[in-house]
């Protein structure tokens, strides 16, 4: 299989590294296309055996799968400036937030489109990707796509494309929510006089341990909270403050606003 990636940014490069790591593609069959001339040398250092191009240079695209990894706000401009035509045997995999399959099909005049929403832990092979497809994509073609996506973590196929905006808000944007909470916890630690590095250690290990408890316990989240929050204790004091300030509702509303923005990106 030959793969071209339009938009050699963080996500495009992380996908490329995963494909090569698991030997799903040969380096010489990978074509990375960037819009920035200044990034060429750095990308060549990381992918010395692959073809690296600036977008304007590409007159013909010899690839079985074309991954579009540009910012959704840039997609229309990129689509309009294509200097090559697609053939019916080529497949498009979009990892742009918000841009629906129908819009991609119309903009590129191409029917074979799969739309996916990964998240940043794909950089470590620990991501999760929701994906869906246009009509007419065969089971074997989808399995090939899933095999590629699973090299970056896990993937889930969605029959209903409308759910992908929710996936974008929940898991695509999700890592930032955790970073935000971790940052607040670390800063609370420093306010209590704990050295910043030590505060980071306590918070990061706490998050790691809490994740494993969630993943390995048969208890509900409510019961896990009760296990920590004894009546009249310190945890209860913190949780009471969160409840009084509607922290849970604020977080939920933020995620719903992220979904709303994903829908707006389609235009």
């Amino acid at each position: 299989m030959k793969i071209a990636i339009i938009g050699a940014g963080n996500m495009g490069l992380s996908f490329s590294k995963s494909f090569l790591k698991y030997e799903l593609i040969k380096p010489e069959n990978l074509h990375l296309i960037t819009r920035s001339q200044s990034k060429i040398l750095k990308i060549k250092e990381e992918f010395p055996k692959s073809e690296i191009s600036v977008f304007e240079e590409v007159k013909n695209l010899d690839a079985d799968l074309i991954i579009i990894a540009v910012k959704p706000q840039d997609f229309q401009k990129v689509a309009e400036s294509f200097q090559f035509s697609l053939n019916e045997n080529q497949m498009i995999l979009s990892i742009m937030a918000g841009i629906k399959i129908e819009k991609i099909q119309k903009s590129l005049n191409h029917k074979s489109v799969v739309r996916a929403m990964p998240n940043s832990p794909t950089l470590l092979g620990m991501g999760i990707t929701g994906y869906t497809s246009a009509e007419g994509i065969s089971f074997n073609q989808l399995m090939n796509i899933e095999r590629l996506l699973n090299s970056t973590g896990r993937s889930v196929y969605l029959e209903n494309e409308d759910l992908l905006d929710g996936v974008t808000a929940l898991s695509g944007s999700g890592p930032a929510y955790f970073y935000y909470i971790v940052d607040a916890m670390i800063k609370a630690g420093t306010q209590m006089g704990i050295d910043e590095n030590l505060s980071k250690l306590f918070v990061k290990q706490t998050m790691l341990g809490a994740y494993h408890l969630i993943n390995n316990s048969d208890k509900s989240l409510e019961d896990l909270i009760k296990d920590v929050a004894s009546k009249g204790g310190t945890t209860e004091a913190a949780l009471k403050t969160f409840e009084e300030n509607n922290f849970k509702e604020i977080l939920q509303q933020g995620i719903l606003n992220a979904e709303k923005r994903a829908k707006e990106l389609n235009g």
Side-chain angles (χ1 to χ4, degrees), residues 3-69:
I3 297 177
I5 299 183
I6 299 175
N10 289 335
M11 195 61 73
L13 294 181
S14 68
F15 267 55
S16 302
K17 290 172 184 175
S18 292
F19 300 162
L20 296 176
K21 177 182 177 181
Y22 292 102
E23 298 181 347
L24 299 176
I25 182 175
K26 294 178 180 179
E28 55 268 27
N29 288 336
L30 177 65
H31 186 180
L32 295 167
I33 303 166
T34 178
R35 297 180 68 199
S36 175
Q37 182 72 48
S38 62
K39 292 181 179 179
I40 290 285
L41 288 178
K42 185 178 179 182
I43 297 173
K44 281 185 176 178
E45 287 176 4
E46 291 188 83
F47 300 90
K49 295 181 179 179
S50 301
E51 184 177 359
I52 318 295
S53 303
V54 175
F55 185 75
E56 289 76 15
E57 298 174 344
V58 182
K59 311 296 183 184
N60 180 48
L61 199 54
D62 180 21
D64 304 298
L65 178 67
I66 299 157
I67 300 177
I68 301 181

Side-chain angles (χ1 to χ4, degrees), residues 119 168-179:
N119 62 4
T168 301
L170 196 62
S171 63
S173 300
Y177 313 150
F178 287 100
Y179 306 150

